[in-house]
Amino acid sequence: MSQNNLFFETNAQKRPFCALLFILVVFSIALYYKGITPSFSSDDYVHLEKNISFENPIQALSVFTEFDGREYRPLVRFTLWANSKMSASALSFNATNVLLHILCTVLVFCISLSMTRNLNYSFAGGILFALLPIHSASINFIMGRTDLLCTLFYLLSFWLFQIHLQKNSRALYFISNISFLLAVSSKEIAVSLPFLLSLLVFLESKQDNMIKRLLESSKTTIVFWLISIIYIFIRILSWAGDAQSVAGYTNYSVKHVVKNFFMWFFALIYPFDLYKARAFSENNMLLFGGFLLLCLFLILLFIVFVSGKNKILAFIKNRYFILGVIWFIATLSPVMGGGAHRWYLYLPSVSLSLIVLSLLDTVQEKRKKTLYVVLVIYLFFSCVQTLHRTHIWSKQNLISKNFFNQIEKHGIQDLQKCYFINIPFGYKSAYLFTFQSLESALFLKYGKKPEIIEVSHLNLSDKDNLKVEKSPGKLKFQLEIDDYGYFYFNFLTRNFPEPTQFNTGDLLLEINSLSKSKLVESYVVNIPNDLKVPIYYFDAKNIVKW
């Protein structure tokens, strides 16, 4: 291979590369363009309230000199400000997220090509990353940008480091380090990069002695390690005075960590509706567990079938497979003490592309067509599910508009204070107004911020599944639970061990009936007769004043 050309022996070989690159871009746009809507959601409002008031770029750059609570993600904050100068609606924000996903997809393609020198294999890795349904939460949800920006600069740093290993370029090594700094300025999971770069050097080293390989990988990545160690040290110091804010992210019990990784693995490879799968698992735990074990057995059986009994060891030892497995573990390790949130999987999902590369690299020639057919079928279902999730986000835009229209009709934005029962948490898998975000939403839209005492939340579905009964001093709600429609009390509390009650200000919320899976089926809000503060509730269609 010519040293002047990274991928190709001749210019003629560039044409299929450009054609495949074009296909990746077109697929990405086609899947996500319907999600480019003018509506914000959830944490968008909270972060926008804090980050769009800067008057000029110099003021906006001040975010790099300060922490934002438990977080330090100044690059994300700066891009939010930049988008706010392009449009008042969410259009430019959502379009930017889609653009970031396209760039990440291109980088996965380029990294794969740098490794394999095979266009077909690399395209398979790239298109798989482009179509995975799990990415919809990161792309359609504007604050999913934390993962998009982090992944963009993480992959760019990795790719430039790859090229540096081939060309021994100090300039590329320097730019790779700068890109790493931008990655950790976007999200904390980027601290895993030095470990993966060390693994890359170790796997590609021509040294026969393992000690020499380790020394070579340590020496080559020393600057990355220093950046990561300094970053971690500063972050730990920043958390020392606010231990409560990170308490929910430090459960490192073996049971919790294993459960998280198991759930992440399932969410990553499952090409169908995760909400339906969750509802089924909650009602049929043993059956669901058996189904998962059967699926895992069939996957292993298929790998043995396409690789052949004699090549299965070669598949396990394949450097792409080793890198893929370690990539999945390493990129999730910084967040394994928290919840198994699906938006964490954007960067770790690159591992699936690497494992597919290892399969293609070791498969028997006579089984290669079979592997491609199975991959195409998997991509088809993934594509359908991604389009379905994007359509949900498109409809979320209409629900959000209707909700704000009703806010204006009741003049809630002009109040000093009110109670709100059944705030719409989300529509199916798309967010609407998660906890404490409604106040920020009203401030951004109307410039006014009434104190809203949140009593409860609802996740909405297409069904008319909420019945309301009024009586003196009581509001009774009967909820027909389905895969998407359910009750939330506070931060992600949807399952209760037994009927209970909570005081919210002067109101008493009684949870009276639970389903088999411990979800709320009926609840009552008790209202004092002498209460002066206005009360509103959402009946899954309209805002109603008590």
Side-chain angles (χ1 to χ4, degrees):
M1 185 183 72
S2 170
Q3 287 295 314
N4 296 322
N5 201 312
L6 183 60
F7 298 134
F8 313 108
E9 297 281 353
T10 66
N11 287 332
Q13 292 175 316
K14 290 182 181 179
R15 284 191 282 272
F17 169 80
C18 293
L20 293 176
L21 206 59
F22 178 75
I23 292 171
L24 289 174
V25 173
V26 169
F27 262 98
S28 299
I29 294 172
L31 283 176
Y32 288 105
Y33 84 94
K34 283 198 75 173
I36 302 176
T37 70
S39 289
F40 298 106
S41 64
S42 182
D43 288 352
D44 296 348
Y45 298 110
V46 178
H47 288 276
L48 288 170
E49 183 185 355
K50 293 187 288 185
N51 295 307
I52 65 173
S53 60
F54 304 111
E55 294 180 359
N56 54 60
I58 301 300
Q59 283 189 7
L61 287 170
S62 67
V63 297
F64 284 87
T65 65
E66 61 189 29
F67 290 99
D68 181 20
R70 68 171 183 268
E71 297 174 347
Y72 179 74
R73 299 172 182 176
L75 188 59
V76 177
R77 297 176 65 189
F78 183 81
T79 63
L80 292 176
W81 172 81
N83 273 149
S84 72
K85 299 304 173 187
M86 298 176 192
S87 69
S89 75
L91 286 171
S92 67
F93 294 82
N94 282 313
T96 299
N97 275 21
V98 173
L99 175 61
L100 290 171
H101 176 60
I102 291 170
L103 293 174
C104 290
T105 300
V106 169
L107 281 170
V108 171
F109 180 46
C110 291
I111 288 169
S112 302
L113 194 53
S114 291
M115 287 180 173
T116 65
R117 309 294 176 186
N118 186 305
L119 273 174
N120 292 333
Y121 295 0
S122 304
F123 179 73
I127 197 70
L128 176 62
F129 182 84
L131 302 185
L132 280 176
I134 199 65
H135 292 165
S136 60
S138 297
I139 298 165
N140 293 310
F141 174 37
I142 290 168
M143 285 313 299
R145 181 172 304 185
T146 56
D147 296 281
L148 295 168
L149 275 171
C150 177
T151 300
L152 174 65
F153 289 108
Y154 194 104
L155 294 177
L156 180 60
S157 181
F158 189 91
W159 185 46
L160 293 173
F161 186 82
Q162 272 186 311
I163 304 170
H164 158 69
L165 291 180
Q166 297 167 15
K167 295 192 171 187
N168 194 25
S169 167
R170 290 185 179 181
L172 291 175
Y173 186 81
F174 175 75
I175 299 170
S176 179
N177 274 280
I178 297 298
S179 186
F180 174 47
L181 281 170
L182 293 173
V184 293
S185 296
S186 303
K187 195 166 184 177
E188 298 76 10
I189 58 173
V191 295
S192 59
L193 181 61
F195 181 76
L196 289 173
L197 295 181
S198 298
L199 179 63
L200 179 67
V201 176
F202 182 85
L203 293 173
E204 303 218 346
S205 175
K206 294 187 170 108
Q207 299 280 357
D208 293 329
N209 186 288
M210 184 171 289
I211 300 297
K212 288 183 179 180
R213 281 190 171 199
L214 288 171
L215 289 173
E216 181 185 354
S217 66
S218 301
K219 180 182 177 181
T220 311
T221 59
I222 185 66
V223 178
F224 292 91
W225 280 107
L226 286 173
I227 292 171
S228 187
I229 291 167
I230 292 169
Y231 173 83
I232 292 170
F233 179 73
I234 293 172
R235 293 307 307 278
I236 290 174
L237 286 180
S238 73
W239 292 332
D242 190 19
Q244 188 62 35
S245 68
V246 295
Y249 298 85
T250 54
N251 182 0
Y252 296 111
S253 68
V254 173
K255 180 181 178 181
H256 180 77
V257 170
V258 170
K259 179 184 175 184
N260 274 356
F261 273 99
F262 182 80
M263 292 174 68
W264 279 323
F265 176 72
F266 174 74
L268 178 59
I269 66 170
Y270 189 66
F272 305 109
D273 195 317
L274 282 173
Y275 277 65
K276 290 182 181 296
R278 180 178 66 178
F280 180 78
S281 69
E282 289 175 339
N283 289 294
N284 307 274
M285 187 66 73
L286 290 176
L287 192 59
F288 184 70
F291 169 74
L292 291 183
L293 289 174
L294 176 62
C295 289
L296 186 60
F297 173 74
L298 291 175
I299 291 170
L300 293 174
L301 196 65
F302 177 74
I303 291 172
V304 172
F305 173 73
V306 296
S307 297
K309 291 181 181 179
N310 298 329
K311 278 196 170 185
I312 191 66
L313 192 60
F315 167 71
I316 295 171
K317 288 183 175 180
N318 185 278
R319 59 178 179 163
Y320 311 137
F321 177 77
I322 294 170
L323 185 60
V325 171
I326 300 300
W327 187 294
F328 181 75
I329 296 170
T331 52
L332 284 168
S333 292
V335 292
M336 65 185 178
H341 303 303
R342 64 187 187 274
W343 54 84
Y344 288 161
L345 284 169
Y346 190 78
L347 173 59
S349 68
V350 176
S351 63
L352 203 56
S353 296
L354 292 169
I355 290 170
V356 167
L357 290 183
S358 67
L359 265 176
L360 291 168
D361 192 46
T362 57
V363 67
Q364 300 177 85
E365 199 61 38
K366 63 181 180 180
R367 306 288 190 204
K368 192 162 284 187
K369 286 185 179 179
T370 304
L371 178 57
Y372 276 124
V373 168
V374 171
L375 186 58
V376 168
I377 293 170
Y378 180 81
L379 290 173
F380 171 78
F381 285 116
S382 295
C383 188
V384 170
Q385 182 59 212
T386 302
L387 284 170
H388 171 65
R389 296 187 191 185
T390 302
H391 175 74
I392 289 173
W393 278 92
S394 179
K395 189 167 181 181
Q396 176 265 10
N397 170 54
L398 301 177
I399 296 171
S400 181
K401 283 182 178 178
N402 177 57
F403 189 77
F404 278 119
N405 287 338
Q406 294 190 52
I407 288 279
E408 293 175 17
K409 176 183 174 182
H410 288 277
I412 294 174
Q413 74 278 11
D414 297 319
L415 299 174
Q416 292 295 317
K417 183 179 181 180
C418 71
Y419 286 91
F420 211 121
I421 304 164
N422 297 342
I423 295 173
F425 178 91
Y427 165 68
K428 293 191 174 181
S429 57
Y431 305 119
L432 283 163
F433 303 98
T434 50
F435 311 106
Q436 309 302 320
S437 68
L438 184 54
E439 287 184 7
S440 295
L442 297 183
F443 178 76
L444 284 169
K445 192 167 182 67
Y446 306 108
K448 301 174 182 178
K449 193 173 183 179
E451 180 187 350
I452 296 177
I453 304 172
E454 300 180 350
V455 180
S456 61
H457 288 74
L458 278 183
N459 207 72
L460 308 176
S461 69
D462 288 324
K463 292 183 180 178
D464 184 13
N465 60 347
L466 184 68
K467 294 180 180 179
V468 185
E469 293 180 19
K470 292 182 182 181
S471 60
K474 287 183 182 292
L475 269 172
K476 183 177 180 180
F477 300 92
Q478 191 73 33
L479 180 62
E480 183 184 342
I481 299 165
D482 60 26
D483 298 337
Y484 297 108
Y486 44 82
F487 169 97
Y488 271 123
F489 173 61
N490 55 21
F491 185 65
L492 299 185
T493 305
R494 56 190 291 270
N495 301 90
F496 296 84
E498 59 186 8
T500 185
Q501 60 185 33
F502 303 94
N503 285 302
T504 304
D506 293 315
L507 304 188
L508 177 66
L509 171 66
E510 296 179 359
I511 295 174
N512 294 330
S513 175
L514 301 173
S515 69
K516 177 184 175 183
S517 54
K518 304 300 183 181
L519 297 172
V520 175
E521 289 183 322
S522 70
Y523 53 103
V524 174
V525 178
N526 295 282
I527 304 167
N529 293 327
D530 58 348
L531 188 64
K532 305 287 187 187
V533 180
I535 299 171
Y536 296 88
Y537 65 90
F538 189 64
D539 66 1
K541 289 183 179 179
N542 301 296
I543 295 174
V544 182
K545 185 176 181 181
W546 166 256

